[in-house]
Amino acid sequence: MSDLLLAIVHHLIVFGIAAVLAAELALMRPAAMSAQTVRLLGRFDAAYGMLALAILAAGFVRVWYGAKGPDFYLHNPVFWAKIAAFGVVGLLSIQPTLRIAAWQKAAKADAGFVPSLQEVGKLRRVMLAEIHVFALIPIFAAAMARGVGLG
């Protein structure tokens, strides 16, 4: 039963991350950009950070205390591909997080602040790349769950 609960928590967090990424991308449009949008992006980005930490914790617990045990995961190259994809997503998220934080600071100083169209477009492209790499994670997870990579 504890393995089932770990799996449920793990999956719900992943769906939460996907939802937050989709919401951020939906807001990251030049036509939608305003000081209020910047505030919302900041809230979503904070939620994204908390969910990323939560998925690391849940994943760690699943690897070490789940029914399959660490040998199933640690010796599987598909697991490491999944971890690498997660790492790339994390690296891609740095620039949007830093820009959103800077925008929030600028919006606090100037209620009429709106980021430039070029900057919004650039971050949107980074976020699209982030979402595309994120899509690899459940693909690797499904393959791994079916024993792909165990030889």
Side-chain angles (χ1 to χ4, degrees):
M1 188 60 138
S2 64
D3 188 62
L4 173 63
L5 291 175
L6 287 172
I8 290 168
V9 168
H10 189 86
H11 287 94
L12 288 175
I13 295 168
V14 169
F15 291 136
I17 291 170
V20 168
L21 283 173
E24 282 188 324
L25 186 63
L27 289 171
M28 189 64 70
R29 295 178 297 120
M33 201 52 63
S34 68
Q36 175 62 23
T37 302
V38 169
R39 284 190 290 280
L40 283 172
L41 281 167
R43 289 182 188 146
F44 278 119
D45 205 58
Y48 178 73
M50 291 187 311
L51 287 166
L53 292 174
I55 199 64
L56 286 173
F60 178 83
V61 171
R62 279 191 84 188
V63 166
W64 291 103
Y65 302 105
K68 293 179 181 176
D71 285 340
F72 175 83
Y73 296 99
L74 300 180
H75 300 294
N76 189 332
V78 179
F79 170 75
W80 292 108
K82 180 181 165 189
I83 297 302
F86 184 81
V88 171
V89 169
L91 290 173
L92 286 170
S93 75
I94 293 171
Q95 184 181 15
T97 295
L98 293 175
R99 292 310 313 144
I100 290 167
W103 292 351
Q104 284 186 298
K105 185 176 179 180
K108 284 182 184 176
D110 175 9
F113 170 79
V114 177
S116 74
L117 298 178
Q118 295 82 5
E119 197 169 22
V120 172
K122 181 180 178 183
L123 283 187
R124 184 169 171 79
R125 287 187 296 278
V126 172
M127 292 172 79
L128 281 168
E130 190 177 347
I131 285 174
H132 283 91
V133 176
F134 182 82
L136 294 173
I137 295 171
I139 292 168
F140 290 138
M144 187 178 58
R146 282 149 186 82
V148 175
L150 292 177

